[in-house]
Amino acid sequence: MDLGNVSRDGVRPVVVRIPVEPVEAAMEADALDAVHSAGEVAVRGPLFGVVAQTAGAGQRWRAVTSITAPFPQISRDTLYSRLWFRAKDEAKDRAERRALLAAVARLETEPVDELTVLGTRYRIVRAEEWAGSGAGGIELPRPTDPEPLSPDWSVSSREPEVDAGLVLDPDAPLTPAQATERLALRDFVYAGSRFPDFVIRESHRARQTHPDVVLLPTTFTVAERDGKGWEPASRPHTTALGARKSLDFFLTWLEPRTRGLIPVEADRLVDARTVTAADPGADPVLFAYAEASERLRSGRVNQLEVLDITYRIIRTRRMLRWGPDGPEGPRPSDTSDHGPERIHPRLDEDGVVHRDDTEQDED
């Protein structure tokens, strides 16, 4: 859909559709309850990703990567790798490979936030991440958030990638709850002493240059609290189960190895659960982790206390600011922990990889 009637200040009309399915109506009721129980916005900071737009797509963009990277350079590096491998494995001829390699060369040396390659426009975008908060703390998963009837806790099971197949359409019809949230967030800006003045100024400027917002799919994250407040402890996941599984892995597999309770070189299937099941005299900390894992697997458990640390599965939200030319890119204050660099060996127009060049550069 492309309404084509954006106002002079760049704000798009909001098309509201009425939910007709019982499940969707229940989700609307849940959203209304959340306004009362967790109506405050707890800002977590920006996230970044890569989106693309092809000719004839109108105002729509598609997500090339998940919009979850903590720094813009990580998204640039991801785009660089994708274009390099496309040149190596998929280019139909030298001309196509040459165009791809020209983009790769720029990404190796410049902090590029937008470029067009073979008719496709790529952009590094900036999303704002937040969570609802209220008297009970940061919002937990809602009753209507998707949950499998039979959770699969096996190591081999995989959840969908965040934003996989996502199409960003600023004109897509919204439910009443989604429309209300979108309208309320148009005026969102940074405020308070935790933000430097120049960051607040950029936030106000972004409200002018990108006056609209597009909501991204809900994600779920592990947060931990040890008396100093809540801190994120995992990457975003598409489901609450995915966040619980990452917490289970952390408690039973990663943390025991980090603390030296299980040898790093141990078989990958060895964890706190298997060790305590085989050895009643194992370290008490391993029993604490194994018991926490049992509780976590007993149902829709969204909060655990383990060894004086509280872990909570939280419901996280993201939005993109949107202007007349599409989604917002990184701001000047969005720094990275590293700059552009060569990641892959040199690839020539014939598709030959020159690994010796990389070795010489390292010398």
Side-chain angles (χ1 to χ4, degrees):
M1 176 183 292
D2 187 354
L3 297 177
N5 54 345
V6 181
S7 65
R8 293 171 61 182
D9 60 1
V11 175
R12 312 184 73 84
V14 176
V15 178
V16 180
R17 60 180 178 82
I18 304 301
V20 294
E21 297 294 334
V23 171
E24 195 171 42
M27 294 174 70
E28 287 287 289
D30 261 3
L32 181 60
D33 289 342
V35 172
H36 298 287
S37 63
E40 300 297 321
V41 173
V43 179
R44 300 190 65 209
L47 297 173
F48 304 89
V50 183
V51 300
Q53 185 185 56
T54 54
Q59 292 293 320
R60 294 182 297 276
W61 295 69
R62 61 178 175 83
V64 176
T65 70
S66 61
I67 305 174
T68 57
F71 304 110
Q73 187 58 44
I74 293 177
S75 295
R76 296 182 195 115
D77 291 344
T78 302
L79 177 58
Y80 163 38
S81 286
R82 286 176 178 253
L83 295 177
W84 189 91
F85 279 106
R86 182 178 167 189
K88 174 178 173 289
D89 301 326
E90 301 176 22
K92 298 181 178 63
D93 51 42
R94 294 183 70 188
E96 185 171 308
R97 186 174 291 111
R98 189 182 303 118
L100 290 164
L101 292 177
V104 167
R106 287 194 63 195
L107 288 162
E108 283 182 346
T109 57
E110 304 174 39
V112 181
D113 290 329
E114 182 167 329
L115 72 169
T116 299
V117 186
L118 297 172
T120 298
R121 187 182 183 191
Y122 295 93
R123 179 178 293 179
I124 309 301
V125 293
R126 180 192 200 277
E128 202 69 64
E129 185 183 32
W130 81 96
S133 181
I138 302 178
E139 185 183 12
L140 299 167
R142 298 174 185 173
T144 50
D145 286 327
E147 295 271 8
L149 293 176
S150 300
D152 184 354
W153 288 90
S154 64
V155 177
S156 59
S157 66
R158 294 288 182 269
E159 64 174 334
E161 288 294 323
V162 173
D163 301 327
L166 176 65
V167 175
L168 302 168
D169 184 355
D171 297 324
L174 305 174
T175 67
Q178 292 169 341
T180 300
E181 185 174 29
R182 176 170 164 177
L183 291 172
L185 289 168
R186 280 179 174 174
D187 289 331
F188 170 84
V189 291
Y190 291 154
S193 59
R194 68 175 277 203
F195 300 104
D197 289 343
F198 69 93
V199 171
I200 293 176
R201 287 196 298 270
E202 287 180 6
S203 180
H204 281 268
R205 184 163 53 249
R207 186 172 61 179
Q208 302 300 318
T209 60
H210 296 77
D212 216 334
V213 299
V214 170
L215 302 175
L216 297 177
T218 299
T219 53
F220 302 87
T221 308
V222 180
E224 67 175 48
R225 183 178 62 187
D226 60 2
K228 300 178 182 179
W230 291 102
E231 294 289 340
S234 80
R235 64 176 178 84
H237 295 268
T238 55
T239 64
L241 176 63
R244 294 186 199 108
K245 290 179 65 175
S246 73
L247 177 57
D248 184 84
F249 174 80
F250 172 79
L251 293 173
T252 63
W253 197 97
L254 183 60
E255 190 67 356
R257 285 166 170 78
T258 301
R259 299 179 64 161
L261 302 174
I262 294 177
V264 175
E265 64 273 12
D267 186 90
R268 66 183 183 87
L269 297 179
V270 174
D271 62 13
R273 293 166 60 90
T274 61
V275 170
T276 55
D279 181 8
D283 192 295
V285 173
L286 288 177
F287 278 96
Y289 289 151
E291 190 274 335
S293 175
E294 289 296 331
R295 280 184 284 148
L296 197 58
R297 297 177 183 221
S298 65
R300 297 186 180 185
V301 176
N302 293 318
Q303 185 161 310
L304 282 175
E305 187 168 331
V306 187
L307 301 177
D308 297 325
I309 297 178
T310 301
Y311 298 94
R312 174 178 284 194
I313 309 301
I314 62 172
R315 190 178 198 273
T316 43
R317 305 287 287 115
R318 298 168 298 152
M319 71 169 185
L320 288 169
R321 279 212 164 274
W322 203 278
D325 193 38
E328 181 188 15
R331 298 173 188 173
S333 59
D334 294 325
T335 58
S336 296
D337 61 353
H338 68 285
E341 59 185 341
R342 177 184 287 188
I343 300 174
H344 300 292
R346 186 172 69 85
L347 180 69
D348 67 25
E349 294 181 0
D350 295 314
V352 178
V353 177
H354 296 266
R355 301 188 184 278
D356 291 344
D357 290 5
T358 303
E359 294 174 359
Q360 291 171 7
D361 289 347
E362 292 174 352
D363 293 342

Coordinates of all heavy atoms in Angstrom, one line a residue, residues 304-360:
L304 N 13.3 -15.7 37.6 CA 14.0 -16.7 38.4 C 15.0 -15.9 39.3 O 15.6 -14.9 38.9 CB 14.8 -17.7 37.6 CG 14.2 -18.8 36.9 CD1 15.2 -19.5 36.0 CD2 13.6 -19.8 37.9
E305 N 15.2 -16.5 40.5 CA 16.3 -15.9 41.4 C 17.3 -17.1 41.6 O 16.9 -18.1 42.1 CB 15.8 -15.4 42.7 CG 16.8 -14.7 43.5 CD 16.3 -14.0 44.7 OE1 15.2 -13.5 44.6 OE2 17.0 -13.9 45.7
V306 N 18.5 -16.8 41.2 CA 19.6 -17.8 41.2 C 20.8 -17.2 41.9 O 21.4 -16.2 41.3 CB 19.9 -18.4 39.9 CG1 20.9 -19.6 40.0 CG2 18.7 -18.8 39.1
L307 N 21.2 -17.7 43.0 CA 22.5 -17.2 43.7 C 22.5 -15.7 43.8 O 23.4 -15.0 43.4 CB 23.7 -17.7 42.9 CG 23.9 -19.2 42.7 CD1 25.1 -19.5 41.8 CD2 24.0 -19.9 44.1
D308 N 21.4 -15.2 44.3 CA 21.2 -13.7 44.6 C 21.1 -12.8 43.4 O 21.2 -11.6 43.5 CB 22.4 -13.2 45.5 CG 22.4 -13.9 46.8 OD1 21.3 -14.2 47.4 OD2 23.5 -14.2 47.3
I309 N 20.9 -13.4 42.2 CA 20.7 -12.6 41.0 C 19.3 -13.0 40.5 O 18.9 -14.2 40.4 CB 21.7 -12.9 39.9 CG1 23.1 -12.5 40.4 CG2 21.4 -12.2 38.6 CD1 24.2 -12.8 39.4
T310 N 18.5 -12.0 40.2 CA 17.2 -12.2 39.6 C 17.2 -12.0 38.1 O 17.8 -11.0 37.6 CB 16.2 -11.1 40.2 OG1 16.2 -11.3 41.6 CG2 14.8 -11.4 39.6
Y311 N 16.7 -13.0 37.4 CA 16.6 -13.0 36.0 C 15.2 -12.9 35.6 O 14.3 -13.5 36.2 CB 17.2 -14.3 35.4 CG 18.7 -14.5 35.7 CD1 19.0 -15.3 36.8 CD2 19.7 -14.0 34.9 CE1 20.4 -15.5 37.1 CE2 21.0 -14.2 35.2 CZ 21.4 -14.9 36.3 OH 22.7 -15.1 36.6
R312 N 14.9 -12.0 34.6 CA 13.5 -11.8 34.1 C 13.5 -11.9 32.6 O 14.4 -11.3 31.9 CB 13.0 -10.5 34.6 CG 11.6 -10.1 34.1 CD 11.1 -8.8 34.7 NE 10.6 -9.0 36.0 CZ 9.8 -8.1 36.7 NH1 9.5 -7.0 36.1 NH2 9.4 -8.4 37.9
I313 N 12.5 -12.5 32.0 CA 12.2 -12.5 30.6 C 11.4 -11.2 30.4 O 10.3 -11.1 30.9 CB 11.5 -13.7 30.1 CG1 12.2 -15.0 30.6 CG2 11.3 -13.7 28.6 CD1 13.6 -15.1 30.1
I314 N 11.9 -10.3 29.6 CA 11.1 -9.0 29.4 C 10.7 -8.9 27.9 O 11.3 -9.5 27.0 CB 12.0 -7.8 29.8 CG1 13.3 -7.7 28.9 CG2 12.4 -7.9 31.3 CD1 14.0 -6.4 29.2
R315 N 9.7 -8.1 27.8 CA 9.1 -7.9 26.5 C 9.6 -6.6 26.0 O 9.4 -5.5 26.5 CB 7.5 -7.8 26.6 CG 6.7 -7.8 25.3 CD 5.3 -7.8 25.7 NE 4.5 -8.2 24.6 CZ 4.0 -7.4 23.6 NH1 4.4 -6.1 23.7 NH2 3.3 -7.8 22.6
T316 N 10.4 -6.6 24.9 CA 11.0 -5.4 24.4 C 10.4 -5.0 23.1 O 9.9 -5.8 22.3 CB 12.5 -5.7 24.2 OG1 12.7 -7.0 23.6 CG2 13.3 -5.7 25.5
R317 N 10.4 -3.7 22.9 CA 9.8 -3.1 21.7 C 10.8 -2.2 20.9 O 11.8 -1.7 21.5 CB 8.6 -2.2 22.1 CG 7.6 -2.9 23.0 CD 6.7 -3.9 22.2 NE 5.8 -3.1 21.3 CZ 5.8 -3.1 20.0 NH1 6.7 -3.8 19.3 NH2 4.9 -2.5 19.3
R318 N 10.6 -2.1 19.6 CA 11.5 -1.3 18.8 C 10.6 -0.5 17.8 O 9.6 -0.9 17.4 CB 12.4 -2.2 18.0 CG 13.3 -3.1 18.8 CD 14.0 -4.2 18.0 NE 13.0 -5.1 17.4 CZ 13.1 -5.7 16.3 NH1 14.2 -5.6 15.5 NH2 12.2 -6.5 15.8
M319 N 11.2 0.7 17.5 CA 10.6 1.5 16.4 C 11.6 2.1 15.6 O 12.8 2.4 16.0 CB 9.7 2.6 17.1 CG 10.5 3.7 17.7 SD 9.5 5.1 18.2 CE 10.7 6.3 18.8
L320 N 11.3 2.4 14.3 CA 12.1 3.2 13.4 C 11.5 4.5 13.2 O 10.3 4.6 13.0 CB 12.2 2.5 12.0 CG 13.0 1.2 11.9 CD1 12.7 0.6 10.5 CD2 14.5 1.5 12.0
R321 N 12.3 5.6 13.3 CA 11.8 6.9 12.8 C 11.7 6.9 11.3 O 12.6 6.3 10.7 CB 12.6 8.0 13.4 CG 12.3 8.3 14.8 CD 12.5 9.8 15.1 NE 11.9 10.2 16.3 CZ 10.6 10.6 16.4 NH1 9.9 10.6 15.4 NH2 10.1 11.0 17.6
W322 N 10.7 7.6 10.8 CA 10.4 7.5 9.3 C 10.2 8.9 8.8 O 9.5 9.7 9.4 CB 9.2 6.6 9.1 CG 9.1 6.1 7.7 CD1 8.7 6.7 6.6 CD2 9.5 4.7 7.3 NE1 8.8 5.8 5.5 CE2 9.3 4.6 5.9 CE3 10.0 3.6 8.0 CZ2 9.5 3.4 5.2 CZ3 10.3 2.5 7.3 CH2 10.0 2.4 5.9
G323 N 10.9 9.2 7.7 CA 10.7 10.5 7.1 C 10.3 10.4 5.6 O 9.9 9.3 5.2
P324 N 10.2 11.5 4.9 CA 9.8 11.5 3.5 C 10.6 10.5 2.6 O 10.1 10.0 1.6 CB 10.0 12.9 3.0 CG 9.9 13.7 4.3 CD 10.5 12.9 5.3
D325 N 11.9 10.3 3.0 CA 12.7 9.4 2.2 C 12.9 8.0 2.9 O 13.9 7.3 2.6 CB 14.1 10.0 2.0 CG 14.9 9.3 0.9 OD1 14.3 8.9 -0.1 OD2 16.1 9.2 1.1
G326 N 12.1 7.7 3.8 CA 12.2 6.4 4.4 C 12.7 6.4 5.8 O 12.7 7.4 6.6
P327 N 13.3 5.2 6.3 CA 13.7 5.1 7.7 C 15.0 5.8 8.0 O 15.8 6.1 7.1 CB 13.9 3.5 7.8 CG 14.2 3.1 6.4 CD 13.4 4.0 5.5
E328 N 15.1 6.2 9.2 CA 16.2 7.0 9.7 C 17.5 6.2 9.7 O 17.5 5.0 10.1 CB 15.9 7.5 11.1 CG 17.1 8.4 11.7 CD 16.9 8.8 13.2 OE1 16.0 8.1 13.8 OE2 17.5 9.7 13.6
G329 N 18.6 6.8 9.4 CA 19.9 6.2 9.5 C 20.6 6.6 10.8 O 20.0 7.2 11.6
P330 N 21.8 6.1 11.0 CA 22.6 6.4 12.2 C 22.7 8.0 12.4 O 22.8 8.7 11.4 CB 23.9 5.8 12.0 CG 23.7 4.7 11.0 CD 22.6 5.2 10.1
R331 N 22.7 8.4 13.6 CA 23.0 9.8 14.0 C 24.5 10.0 14.2 O 25.2 9.1 14.5 CB 22.2 10.2 15.2 CG 20.7 10.0 15.0 CD 19.9 10.2 16.3 NE 18.5 9.9 16.1 CZ 17.6 9.9 17.1 NH1 17.9 10.1 18.3 NH2 16.3 9.5 16.8
P332 N 24.9 11.3 14.2 CA 26.4 11.5 14.4 C 26.8 11.0 15.8 O 28.0 10.6 15.9 CB 26.4 13.1 14.4 CG 25.3 13.4 13.4 CD 24.2 12.5 13.7
S333 N 26.0 10.9 16.8 CA 26.4 10.5 18.1 C 26.4 9.0 18.2 O 26.8 8.4 19.2 CB 25.4 11.1 19.2 OG 24.1 10.7 18.9
D334 N 26.0 8.3 17.2 CA 25.9 6.8 17.2 C 27.3 6.3 16.8 O 27.6 6.1 15.6 CB 24.9 6.2 16.3 CG 23.5 6.6 16.7 OD1 23.2 6.6 17.9 OD2 22.6 6.8 15.8
T335 N 28.2 6.1 17.8 CA 29.5 5.6 17.5 C 29.6 4.1 17.5 O 28.7 3.4 17.9 CB 30.5 6.2 18.6 OG1 30.0 5.8 19.9 CG2 30.5 7.7 18.5
S336 N 30.8 3.6 17.1 CA 31.0 2.2 17.0 C 32.3 1.9 17.8 O 33.1 2.8 18.0 CB 31.1 1.7 15.6 OG 29.9 1.9 14.9
D337 N 32.5 0.6 18.1 CA 33.7 0.2 18.8 C 34.9 -0.1 17.9 O 36.0 -0.4 18.3 CB 33.5 -0.9 19.8 CG 33.0 -2.2 19.0 OD1 32.7 -2.1 17.8 OD2 32.9 -3.2 19.7
H338 N 34.6 0.0 16.6 CA 35.7 -0.2 15.6 C 35.2 0.5 14.3 O 34.1 0.8 14.1 CB 36.0 -1.7 15.3 CG 34.9 -2.4 14.7 ND1 33.7 -2.8 15.3 CD2 34.7 -2.9 13.4 CE1 32.9 -3.4 14.5 NE2 33.5 -3.5 13.3
G339 N 36.2 0.7 13.4 CA 35.9 1.3 12.1 C 35.9 0.4 11.0 O 36.0 -0.9 11.1
P340 N 35.7 0.9 9.7 CA 35.7 0.0 8.6 C 37.1 -0.7 8.4 O 38.1 -0.1 8.7 CB 35.4 1.0 7.4 CG 34.8 2.2 8.0 CD 35.4 2.3 9.4
E341 N 37.0 -1.9 7.9 CA 38.3 -2.6 7.7 C 38.0 -3.8 6.7 O 36.9 -4.2 6.5 CB 38.8 -3.2 9.0 CG 37.8 -4.2 9.7 CD 38.3 -4.6 11.1 OE1 39.5 -4.5 11.3 OE2 37.5 -5.1 11.8
R342 N 39.1 -4.3 6.1 CA 39.0 -5.5 5.3 C 38.7 -6.7 6.1 O 39.5 -7.0 7.0 CB 40.2 -5.7 4.4 CG 40.1 -6.9 3.6 CD 41.3 -7.2 2.8 NE 41.5 -6.3 1.7 CZ 42.5 -6.4 0.7 NH1 43.3 -7.5 0.8 NH2 42.6 -5.6 -0.3
I343 N 37.6 -7.4 5.8 CA 37.3 -8.6 6.6 C 37.6 -9.9 5.8 O 38.0 -10.9 6.3 CB 35.8 -8.6 6.9 CG1 35.5 -7.3 7.8 CG2 35.3 -9.8 7.6 CD1 34.0 -7.1 8.1
H344 N 37.4 -9.8 4.4 CA 37.6 -11.0 3.6 C 38.8 -10.7 2.7 O 39.2 -9.6 2.4 CB 36.3 -11.2 2.8 CG 35.1 -11.5 3.6 ND1 35.0 -12.6 4.4 CD2 34.0 -10.8 3.8 CE1 33.8 -12.6 5.0 NE2 33.2 -11.5 4.7
P345 N 39.4 -11.8 2.1 CA 40.5 -11.7 1.2 C 40.0 -10.9 -0.1 O 38.8 -10.8 -0.4 CB 40.8 -13.1 0.8 CG 40.2 -13.9 1.9 CD 39.0 -13.2 2.4
R346 N 41.0 -10.4 -0.8 CA 40.7 -9.7 -2.1 C 40.1 -10.7 -3.1 O 40.5 -11.8 -3.2 CB 41.9 -9.1 -2.7 CG 41.7 -8.2 -3.9 CD 42.9 -7.5 -4.4 NE 43.9 -8.4 -4.9 CZ 43.9 -8.8 -6.2 NH1 43.0 -8.4 -7.0 NH2 44.9 -9.6 -6.6
L347 N 39.0 -10.2 -3.8 CA 38.3 -11.0 -4.8 C 38.4 -10.2 -6.1 O 38.1 -9.0 -6.1 CB 36.9 -11.2 -4.4 CG 36.0 -12.0 -5.3 CD1 36.4 -13.5 -5.3 CD2 34.5 -11.9 -4.8
D348 N 38.8 -10.9 -7.1 CA 39.0 -10.1 -8.4 C 37.7 -10.3 -9.3 O 36.8 -11.0 -8.9 CB 40.2 -10.5 -9.2 CG 40.2 -12.0 -9.7 OD1 39.1 -12.5 -9.9 OD2 41.3 -12.5 -9.9
E349 N 37.7 -9.6 -10.4 CA 36.5 -9.6 -11.3 C 36.1 -11.0 -11.8 O 35.0 -11.2 -12.3 CB 36.7 -8.6 -12.4 CG 36.8 -7.2 -11.9 CD 37.0 -6.2 -13.1 OE1 37.0 -6.7 -14.3 OE2 37.0 -5.0 -12.9
D350 N 37.1 -11.9 -11.8 CA 36.9 -13.3 -12.3 C 36.4 -14.2 -11.2 O 36.2 -15.4 -11.5 CB 38.1 -13.8 -13.0 CG 38.5 -13.0 -14.2 OD1 37.6 -12.7 -15.1 OD2 39.7 -12.7 -14.4
G351 N 36.3 -13.7 -10.0 CA 35.8 -14.5 -8.9 C 36.9 -15.3 -8.2 O 36.6 -16.2 -7.4
V352 N 38.2 -14.9 -8.5 CA 39.3 -15.6 -7.8 C 39.6 -14.9 -6.5 O 39.8 -13.7 -6.4 CB 40.5 -15.6 -8.8 CG1 41.7 -16.2 -8.1 CG2 40.2 -16.2 -10.1
V353 N 39.7 -15.7 -5.5 CA 40.1 -15.2 -4.1 C 41.6 -15.2 -4.0 O 42.3 -16.2 -4.2 CB 39.4 -16.1 -3.0 CG1 39.8 -15.6 -1.7 CG2 37.9 -16.1 -3.2
H354 N 42.1 -14.0 -3.6 CA 43.6 -13.9 -3.4 C 43.9 -13.8 -1.9 O 44.0 -12.8 -1.3 CB 44.0 -12.6 -4.1 CG 43.9 -12.6 -5.6 ND1 44.8 -13.0 -6.5 CD2 42.8 -12.3 -6.4 CE1 44.4 -12.9 -7.7 NE2 43.1 -12.5 -7.7
R355 N 44.1 -15.0 -1.4 CA 44.3 -15.1 0.1 C 45.7 -14.5 0.4 O 45.9 -14.0 1.6 CB 44.1 -16.5 0.6 CG 42.7 -17.0 0.3 CD 42.5 -18.4 1.0 NE 41.2 -18.9 0.6 CZ 40.0 -18.5 1.2 NH1 40.1 -17.6 2.2 NH2 38.9 -19.0 0.8
D356 N 46.7 -14.6 -0.4 CA 48.0 -14.2 -0.2 C 48.0 -12.7 0.1 O 48.8 -12.2 0.9 CB 49.0 -14.5 -1.3 CG 49.2 -16.0 -1.5 OD1 48.9 -16.7 -0.5 OD2 49.7 -16.4 -2.5
D357 N 47.1 -11.9 -0.5 CA 47.0 -10.5 -0.3 C 46.7 -10.2 1.1 O 47.2 -9.2 1.8 CB 46.0 -9.8 -1.2 CG 46.4 -9.8 -2.7 OD1 47.5 -10.4 -3.0 OD2 45.7 -9.2 -3.5
T358 N 45.8 -11.0 1.7 CA 45.4 -10.7 3.1 C 46.5 -11.0 4.0 O 46.8 -10.3 5.0 CB 44.2 -11.6 3.4 OG1 43.1 -11.4 2.5 CG2 43.7 -11.4 4.9
E359 N 47.3 -12.1 3.8 CA 48.4 -12.5 4.6 C 49.4 -11.4 4.6 O 50.0 -11.0 5.6 CB 49.0 -13.8 4.2 CG 48.0 -15.0 4.4 CD 48.5 -16.3 3.8 OE1 49.6 -16.2 3.2 OE2 47.9 -17.3 3.9
Q360 N 49.7 -10.8 3.4 CA 50.7 -9.7 3.3 C 50.2 -8.5 4.1 O 51.0 -7.8 4.7 CB 50.9 -9.3 1.8 CG 51.6 -10.4 1.0 CD 51.7 -10.2 -0.4 OE1 51.3 -9.1 -0.9 NE2 52.1 -11.2 -1.2

